[in-house]
Amino acid sequence: MAKVIVVTSGKGGVGKTTSSASFASGLAMRGHKTVVIDFDVGLRNLDLIMGCERRVVYDLINVINNEATLNQAMIKDKHCENLFVLPASQTRDKDALTEEGVERILQDLMKMDFEYIICDSPAGIEHGAVMALTFADEAIIVTNPEVSSVRDSDRILGIIQAKSRRAQNGSEPVKEHLLITRYVPKRVEAGEMLSYTDVQEILRIPLIGIIPESESVLHASNQGNPAIHIEGSDVSEAYKDVVGRFLGEETQLRFTTYEKPGLFQRLFKGK
């Protein structure tokens, strides 16, 4: 049975779609048949980050409205053999997303032997976000180490606990994971940013990973290349750690401490 995983956040700009793309890619790189669905109807950008925007012919709403089949709408990823992308519509209204339509698509994907269905949710609590989390088995809550971002994430946790099908039918609750992005240990040490332990203390859900701040993420996204493919980078390694932990591996947290430059480094920099 496929697992439905929603990647969500309380506010925009925290790296949610970047994380959806890298997480889905990481699962596929491990040999798992995976599809990632963009639920941000009207503002799609997952296809840009995945580098398949020019290959979009049909989209999620076309499939819901029976204007296209899943096979016509899904795009095979150019990096990973086992990864497919189902883009959102840029022209339709968010209300075109219906609970019945989303449920039918998820059931059809399960029949196609997908192991993981990643739902890239819009930020916040509007219609598309609720549709993305309704059928979730697990949720990855993406937050920056800032008070406003953490507060909004706390609100999303409340929505998941109230609106998901699992919550409504009284079955086992949605399994929640915390992913902290854009982490800068130097700023944490200077008191300019919450530490990951502070964030955990507030949200009280298990931490699945920490993604360090990096300019290379924006550069990769602009090139249509998920951050997990930036070979040799801290960001790529961090996302690979996240995938490993999700799959049950015990991996030590990295990229959490700031190492002050030594005397020779400071002297060299001054020249």
Side-chain angles (χ1 to χ4, degrees):
M1 178 68 88
K3 272 190 179 177
V4 179
I5 300 135
V6 64
V7 181
T8 185
S9 65
K11 61 182 289 189
V14 300
K16 176 184 49 55
T17 298
T18 295
S19 296
S20 295
S22 286
F23 182 67
S25 297
L27 289 170
M29 289 159 67
R30 292 289 199 98
H32 299 286
K33 189 176 180 183
T34 304
V35 59
V36 56
I37 307 173
D38 190 348
F39 275 81
D40 202 354
V41 176
L43 291 171
R44 78 174 189 221
N45 57 19
L46 177 67
D47 55 307
L48 289 169
I49 289 176
M50 300 294 290
C52 62
E53 71 279 7
R54 294 185 180 181
R55 296 161 59 199
V56 175
V57 179
Y58 297 108
D59 56 53
L60 175 63
I61 303 302
N62 290 135
V63 181
I64 285 177
N65 291 340
N66 293 309
E67 298 160 353
T69 65
L70 267 173
N71 280 325
Q72 287 174 313
M74 283 192 305
I75 301 166
K76 196 172 188 304
D77 183 65
K78 62 185 180 183
H79 300 287
C80 302
E81 180 67 27
N82 300 301
L83 182 59
F84 295 81
V85 182
L86 181 55
S89 170
Q90 273 187 310
T91 57
R92 306 293 184 97
D93 188 85
K94 289 178 173 61
D95 290 335
L97 275 175
T98 64
E99 196 166 303
E100 296 76 17
V102 171
E103 185 172 23
R104 175 169 51 82
I105 284 178
L106 294 176
Q107 287 175 347
D108 288 346
L109 288 168
M110 290 177 187
K111 291 173 187 172
M112 296 166 75
D113 295 326
F114 280 98
E115 294 176 70
Y116 294 105
I117 301 168
I118 313 302
C119 302
D120 179 32
S121 167
I125 56 173
E126 47 88 1
H127 183 69
V130 173
M131 286 297 100
L133 65 81
T134 296
F135 301 97
D137 298 310
E138 303 195 29
I140 295 176
I141 317 299
V142 183
T143 187
N144 292 159
E146 301 164 358
V147 172
S148 61
S149 180
V150 174
R151 182 185 62 187
D152 289 344
S153 293
D154 194 36
R155 192 174 181 199
I156 283 293
L157 287 169
I159 299 290
I160 292 169
Q161 289 156 12
K163 300 272 190 180
S164 69
R165 275 278 180 92
R166 284 176 170 267
Q168 290 169 1
N169 64 25
S171 61
E172 192 175 325
V174 174
K175 188 176 181 180
E176 297 159 341
H177 309 273
L178 173 62
L179 179 62
I180 301 174
T181 54
R182 308 187 70 174
Y183 197 77
V184 186
K186 184 179 179 180
R187 292 188 63 194
V188 172
E189 190 166 294
E192 300 169 358
M193 185 176 272
L194 294 173
S195 71
Y196 72 91
T197 52
D198 291 334
V199 178
Q200 265 191 297
E201 183 85 14
I202 297 166
L203 296 179
R204 297 190 175 279
I205 60 174
L207 180 65
I208 198 171
I210 295 171
I211 311 300
E213 175 74 282
S214 172
E215 290 181 10
S216 62
V217 173
L218 180 61
H219 181 64
S221 296
N222 287 339
Q223 292 186 323
N225 189 32
I228 199 168
H229 295 305
I230 311 171
E231 284 302 323
S233 69
D234 288 353
V235 170
S236 173
E237 292 301 308
Y239 275 119
K240 287 174 183 175
D241 286 353
V242 168
V243 172
R245 290 188 198 102
F246 179 81
L247 294 173
E249 298 169 7
E250 291 189 14
T251 311
Q252 190 172 354
L253 277 176
R254 297 192 278 173
F255 318 115
T256 61
T257 55
Y258 171 59
E259 291 186 16
K260 293 179 180 177
L263 175 63
F264 285 108
Q265 286 176 293
R266 293 199 301 272
L267 288 173
F268 184 75
K269 192 175 179 180
K271 288 187 178 180

